[in-house]
Amino acid sequence: MHLPVSSSKFRHYRGAAMMFALAMVMVGTIAVTGMMYVLGARLQQSERMASASQRRLAWLNTDAANRQYGYVYSFRDTVTRAASSASLATNWGGLQASAYSNLSAYETTQRPSAPVVSYPFNNVQVPPTEDSGYFYERTVADSNTNQAEHVSMFNYLKSYPALLQGDLLILHKKAANATGDYYITNNIRVDGRVVIYDGTAQTADLRANSYIHMKPTFTNTVKNNAGTAAQLPENYAITPTATAGYGGTSTPTAVTNGTLKMINNTDFTPGSIYHLGQATGTWSTYSSTTASGSASTAVQIVQENSPTYAPPTTSPYNTTYSGKFKVLKIRLKNTGLTHCRITGAYDQVVIEGQTTTTEYSTADTLSPIIVWLDPTSTVRDVRFVGENNRRFILAAGPGTGTGAGTTLFLGYQSSSIVSGGPLRWRMNLITEFRPTYINLPTSVTLQMTGGVRTDWVLNCTDSGTSVRIILQRETDPENLEKLLPRDAWMETYFLVR
C-alpha cells in the first residue's frame, strides 16, 4: 500500500531540484566566463608572442644579413664600399651598411690598449700579450626603415696570428697538385690545439690538448695529450675564421677554406711573409755561392771539401752534391743579422743559435728574424746548431720555382745547454707543399716554442712511436705578431633601441 504524498513535500522536492539546477547554471556560467577570460588572455598572449617572434626573426635576419655582408666584403685588402642596403620582405629584416674606405682587417693600426672607439664598453678583450697585439677595425650597420625598432650593429674585425693564440699545429687544405697521403708524424705532441682544414690528413696518432674540425663533415681523430686514447673534437668552429691565404687573381680577399699561400703572396700582401718582412725590416738576399764572410759575421758562405754535417742519404729526403760542398751559415745570435732571403743553389743552410747560457738569455732581447727559402732556391737540407731563444720564423714554399714540392730535411745537431733538458728552439715553421722531415740526435727531444702551419707531409725520421717533438705556445711574442700572417674573425655587438 502506498501512502499519499502531501502537496507541501512535493513542492519542497521541486524547489530543491530548481535550486540545484540554478546552482549548476551559475557554476556553468562562471566556468564558461572563466574559460572565455582565459581564452581571451591566451589569444592576447599568442598575438603578442607572434609579434615578438616576428620582431625576433627580423632582428636575426638583419644580423644574418650583416654577417654575410661583413664576410663577403670586409676581409679583403684595402677594400672600399659605398653605403648599401639589403631588404627582405616587409617587416622581416633588412640592412643599411655604412660606407668604409681602404679597409684591411689585416693591416689595421688600432690596438685594444689604445682604442679610438670604446663603445660598447666590452668591445675588446685585452689579449695575454705584452704588446697587446690584437688589431681590430670597426664597421657599423643599422636596420632598414621597415623595422619598428632601431637595430644597430657594431662589427669588430679582429686579427691575430693563430700560432700565437695557441693553435700550434694548423693543417691547411692539401695542395691542389699534391698526390698521396697527407701524413702527420706520430712523434709530435702539441701542448695546445690542432686546427684541421683538411679531412684527409692522417692525424690518428697525433697527441694534443685539443683539436678542432673546421668543417662539420671531417672525421679525423687526434689522441689526448698522454696518447692513451682518442679524444672528442671541438668539432666545428662556431665563429668563421678567415686566413690570409688568398691565392687568386681577382679582387684580393681572405679565404675561409683553409688554403695556404702565405710565403710570398703578391695578390694578398697583408698575409705574405715576404711583404710583412719587407714592411718591418730589411731583407738581405743570398744568391752567390762564392765563399765570403768569417766566423764573426752574421752570415758566412763556405765551400767545404768534406761536409761538416753530412747530407742525408735515406730516401725520400736524401740529397746529393758535386765538387765543393756549398754551405750558407746564418747566426741568430748576431745583432747585425737581418731577414734572410735565400735564392742561391746552396747544398746546405746551417742556422746557428746560441751555445752558452748568456747567449741564450741575450737572444730574447733581439729583434725577430725571418729566414725564407725562396721557391727559386734548390735548398733541401737545413741544419740547426745549438739552441735558440730568438724569435724566429722559417718559411719554405714551393711557388713556381724548381723547389716546388721537393722534400725538406730539417736536421738538429746539438743537445740542450741545460744538462738533461730538451733541445729548445724558439721557432715558427711555415711550409707550403714541402714534405718535411725532422731529424734529431739519439735520445734528444725537441721542444719547439712556436708552431707549425703546413699543407702537406710533416714527418720525423725516427720510425718509433715515442714523442720526439713537443710544440708549446709562444707566450711573449714582442713584435713577432707583426711578422706572422694573421687569421681574422668578426665579432658583432647587436643593439636594439
Side-chain angles (χ1 to χ4, degrees):
M1 181 178 66
H2 295 282
L3 297 174
V5 179
S6 67
S7 60
S8 61
K9 281 190 175 183
F10 184 73
R11 287 195 297 270
H12 174 72
Y13 291 153
R14 286 189 302 172
M18 291 178 64
M19 289 298 295
F20 178 76
L22 288 173
M24 292 300 295
V25 170
M26 291 177 65
V27 170
T29 302
I30 293 172
V32 171
T33 303
M35 290 178 62
M36 293 178 64
Y37 275 110
V38 170
L39 181 60
R42 291 293 292 173
L43 288 172
Q44 290 180 355
Q45 182 187 26
S46 298
E47 290 176 357
R48 290 169 182 170
M49 288 181 66
S51 178
S53 297
Q54 185 173 4
R55 289 199 303 273
R56 182 67 175 171
L57 283 173
W59 299 343
L60 293 176
N61 288 339
T62 299
D63 186 40
N66 168 67
R67 288 180 177 275
Q68 181 185 20
Y69 181 85
Y71 280 109
V72 170
Y73 296 110
S74 297
F75 294 107
R76 298 189 179 188
D77 183 20
T78 61
V79 62
T80 296
R81 291 287 300 174
S84 58
S85 61
S87 297
L88 300 176
T90 304
N91 298 327
W92 287 104
L95 179 74
Q96 292 177 332
S98 300
Y100 46 80
S101 178
N102 296 319
L103 174 68
S104 179
Y106 296 89
E107 288 187 329
T108 176
T109 57
Q110 291 193 45
R111 290 172 179 261
S113 56
V116 176
V117 180
S118 60
Y119 179 79
F121 300 107
N122 63 341
N123 58 346
V124 174
Q125 179 181 359
V126 179
T129 56
E130 184 176 328
D131 59 356
S132 299
Y134 278 80
F135 287 74
Y136 73 90
E137 282 283 4
R138 194 189 85 165
T139 65
V140 296
D142 296 298
S143 55
N144 63 0
T145 55
N146 290 337
Q147 298 177 57
E149 294 85 1
H150 183 77
V151 180
S152 295
M153 287 149 290
F154 301 89
N155 305 312
Y156 292 90
L157 312 176
K158 299 184 180 182
S159 64
Y160 194 70
L163 293 180
L164 302 181
Q165 285 181 306
D167 292 339
L168 305 187
L169 178 57
I170 304 177
L171 305 180
H172 286 269
K173 189 175 180 179
K174 183 167 63 176
N177 52 343
T179 58
D181 292 333
Y182 188 171
Y183 180 77
I184 306 299
T185 181
N186 59 2
N187 302 105
I188 295 179
R189 190 186 82 201
V190 181
D191 290 345
R193 187 169 71 169
V194 176
V195 179
I196 301 175
Y197 280 101
D198 195 311
T200 67
Q202 296 183 14
T203 61
D205 292 320
L206 190 65
R207 302 166 175 87
N209 286 353
S210 63
Y211 73 107
I212 186 170
H213 289 144
M214 299 306 284
K215 288 187 178 180
T217 56
F218 291 169
T219 58
N220 317 54
T221 60
V222 172
K223 288 183 178 179
N224 58 21
N225 196 278
T228 56
Q231 61 179 309
L232 291 174
E234 295 179 24
N235 201 38
Y236 185 56
I238 296 174
T239 300
T241 300
T243 63
Y246 178 77
T249 55
S250 58
T251 303
T253 179
V255 295
T256 57
N257 67 353
T259 306
L260 181 64
K261 189 175 182 183
M262 297 179 177
I263 304 295
N264 183 15
N265 193 339
T266 56
D267 294 316
F268 199 86
T269 57
S272 167
I273 288 180
Y274 175 71
H275 295 88
L276 289 170
Q278 218 173 24
T280 58
T282 302
W283 278 108
S284 296
T285 301
Y286 298 96
S287 57
S288 172
T289 57
T290 303
S292 63
S294 67
S296 62
T297 56
V299 176
Q300 181 184 11
I301 301 172
V302 298
Q303 294 190 356
E304 301 174 336
N305 291 319
S306 178
T308 302
Y309 306 111
T313 58
T314 303
S315 179
Y317 48 81
N318 58 305
T319 60
T320 58
Y321 74 97
S322 60
K324 296 280 188 177
F325 194 71
K326 300 173 284 294
V327 181
L328 174 68
K329 296 184 177 181
I330 299 171
R331 299 187 173 101
L332 295 177
K333 65 182 179 182
N334 194 296
T335 57
L337 182 65
T338 60
H339 300 320
C340 301
R341 178 184 183 185
I342 302 171
T343 61
Y346 302 101
D347 295 307
Q348 192 176 81
V349 171
V350 175
I351 300 175
E352 298 179 1
Q354 304 88 45
T355 55
T356 69
T357 302
T358 300
E359 288 177 351
Y360 188 85
S361 178
T362 302
D364 181 50
T365 66
L366 303 179
S367 60
I369 286 295
I370 301 173
V371 174
W372 180 44
L373 300 182
D374 190 286
T376 61
S377 171
T378 57
V379 172
R380 296 177 52 211
D381 184 354
V382 179
R383 303 301 174 97
F384 302 94
V385 178
E387 293 188 291
N388 176 54
N389 195 30
R390 185 173 190 171
R391 296 160 183 83
F392 165 55
I393 300 169
L394 176 62
T400 56
T402 56
T406 54
T407 56
L408 181 65
F409 180 84
L410 305 180
Y412 290 82
Q413 305 300 140
S414 308
S415 58
S416 177
I417 299 170
V418 181
S419 178
L423 182 63
R424 299 167 297 174
W425 267 84
R426 199 175 192 175
M427 182 171 81
N428 286 276
L429 174 65
I430 301 179
T431 61
E432 292 181 11
F433 192 26
R434 293 292 295 268
T436 302
Y437 292 81
I438 297 175
N439 179 265
L440 296 167
T442 303
S443 301
V444 170
T445 299
L446 172 65
Q447 180 177 285
M448 184 188 297
T449 299
V452 179
R453 299 189 89 134
T454 185
D455 61 354
W456 201 216
V457 174
L458 180 63
N459 213 331
C460 180
T461 58
D462 181 354
S463 58
T465 59
S466 61
V467 173
R468 300 294 307 280
I469 305 158
I470 300 172
L471 302 185
Q472 68 177 20
R473 181 177 180 176
E474 170 67 77
T475 58
D476 188 16
E478 190 60 33
N479 295 321
L480 187 60
E481 45 86 13
K482 297 178 182 178
L483 295 174
L484 286 169
R486 292 171 166 269
D487 293 73
W489 64 98
M490 183 169 71
E491 296 180 10
T492 298
Y493 292 85
F494 187 83
L495 302 178
V496 181
R497 302 174 189 173

